[in-house]
Amino acid sequence: PGVSTLDEATSIGIEFPHIEHVVRPGVLDYTPQFNEVADFATRRKFDAWRSYYAHLPTIRALREYDALFIIQAPYLAYLSERPYIATHMGGDIWYECSRDDLLGRLQRAAFANANLLIASNPWSFAFARRYGFRNLVCMPTLLDPDDYSPGNPDFRDEWMRETDGDFFVLTTARVDDLFKGSNLALRGFQIFSEKHARARLVLIGWGADVERHSGRIRELGLAGKVIWLRPAGKRRLIRYLRSAHVLLDQFVLGYFGMTALEAIAVGTPVVMRLEEAQYSDFLDAGPPPVLNSSDEAEIASALTALCASKDFLKQAGERNRCWFMRYSGDMAIRERYLDLLTV
């Protein structure tokens, strides 16, 4: 399992409809000449980032707007010469910005020149100091509380019929030992499942270590306890999260991102490693009430506690939803975002 290209996704039946202003990578096989961008770009900037002006169709589309709000690829807004607010999603600020190649220098320039850089994790400020950014403001990551809400476990009956399982542990993060600790998560599940024969691990097949992970699953005798799902859009992902009893996130970095936040929002208990003390001082809502686990023994113990008590499982999910509404779901939080965008 695993999908890494558009061709692979198309070959297994995933459809990508035409969407206005969405440009596919296939158009990026040329570099425009300066006269094609001279109406908005300076010669100096064009020469510095020449190869990235291959995104010209997207840049032109962005220029149709008065201002931009951008994530992951802030350089598109930077090259568009429009006012923009940026936020980050993880590797774009701590990995890509640390590189001393063209992409790294461009990402740093793009974040530094944003009118505002919204940060939602404690470590973002450490990286900002390292790169010399002076435009950060702390704001929570917004999710629509109506879309990301508790609901029916649509897929659970299907999973039960297919595998004879009765407790489903979902992982939606990419399979990556170095940055996500996928190997620890798998070992923790194995220890837990030795005493819970009908527990099932539900995986989405993507990430750098998918093949290695598949081999480990066979070696550990877990093949009959694993359900592989194809990558999905957000609406289907929400249904996966509602259908699982618990989410296993990551066990290396100690900070939550979209993977954990989506599960927290729908009221699914989360097991992960978290730097709780940093979040206590950083967020008005305090740290999310995840089951903090750093190694395979702690992961197994957390899963055992959730599986052993329906009341504890329910309470863990309810605590997550209540925290999410304080963190990101309240109308006052959205109004703060609107104030920033207006300014």
Side-chain angles (χ1 to χ4, degrees), residues 283-304:
L283 295 178
D284 292 340
V290 301
L291 281 76
N292 200 350
S293 306
S294 299
D295 57 34
E296 52 264 47
E298 292 179 355
I299 294 168
S301 178
L303 292 175
T304 298

Side-chain angles (χ1 to χ4, degrees), residues 81-308:
E81 306 299 336
R82 285 287 185 256
Y84 64 97
I85 291 176
T87 187
H88 63 80
M89 62 178 298
D92 47 1
I93 193 170
W94 66 264
Y95 178 65
E96 291 174 357
C97 282
S98 70
R99 293 163 51 168
D100 191 28
D101 58 7
L102 189 63
L103 175 60
R105 293 191 291 273
L106 178 57
Q107 287 283 63
R108 291 196 298 274
F111 279 128
N113 283 279
N115 294 69
L116 199 67
L117 174 53
I118 294 175
S120 57
N121 263 321
W123 71 343
S124 304
F125 288 81
F127 285 104
R129 287 193 296 270
R130 175 185 173 192
Y131 304 137
F133 299 163
R134 298 179 181 274
N135 55 347
L136 264 74
V137 63
C138 174
M139 293 286 285
T141 301
L142 286 186
L143 290 178
D144 189 323
D146 296 323
D147 290 338
Y148 287 88
S149 60
N152 294 325
D154 295 344
F155 293 105
R156 191 176 295 173
D157 286 345
E158 177 184 330
W159 295 346
M160 292 176 67
R161 289 193 302 271
E162 290 180 354
T163 67
D164 193 35
D166 64 2
F167 190 82
F168 297 97
V169 180
L170 174 66
T171 295
T172 61
R174 70 181 184 271
V175 181
D176 190 311
D177 293 345
L178 181 61
F179 295 117
K180 299 295 184 181
S182 301
N183 51 334
L184 294 177
L186 183 63
R187 177 59 180 153
F189 174 80
Q190 183 209 17
I191 295 170
F192 159 69
S193 68
E194 287 174 352
K195 295 183 178 179
H196 300 83
R198 296 183 67 193
R200 300 293 180 261
L201 182 62
V202 185
L203 299 174
I204 296 180
W206 72 296
D209 293 318
V210 167
E211 295 305 322
R212 183 185 303 175
H213 213 56
S214 298
R216 287 197 202 103
I217 287 169
R218 292 190 296 271
E219 292 167 6
L220 294 173
L222 294 175
K225 295 184 177 182
V226 173
I227 302 171
W228 288 97
L229 303 176
R230 70 181 189 182
K234 292 299 186 181
R235 292 188 184 279
R236 191 176 185 88
L237 181 64
I238 291 169
R239 295 169 66 197
Y240 289 160
L241 290 167
R242 291 169 176 165
S243 300
H245 291 91
V246 58
L247 178 90
L248 287 184
D249 188 17
Q250 60 83 25
F251 301 93
V252 177
L253 299 177
Y255 302 91
F256 75 85
M258 196 62 76
T259 300
L261 186 59
E262 289 171 333
I264 290 169
V266 304
T268 299
V270 174
V271 178
M272 65 175 294
R273 178 176 177 268
L274 188 75
E275 296 284 355
E276 289 186 8
Q278 293 186 27
Y279 281 101
S280 296
D281 297 329
F282 184 73
L283 295 178
D284 292 340
V290 301
L291 281 76
N292 200 350
S293 306
S294 299
D295 57 34
E296 52 264 47
E298 292 179 355
I299 294 168
S301 178
L303 292 175
T304 298
L306 290 166
C307 184

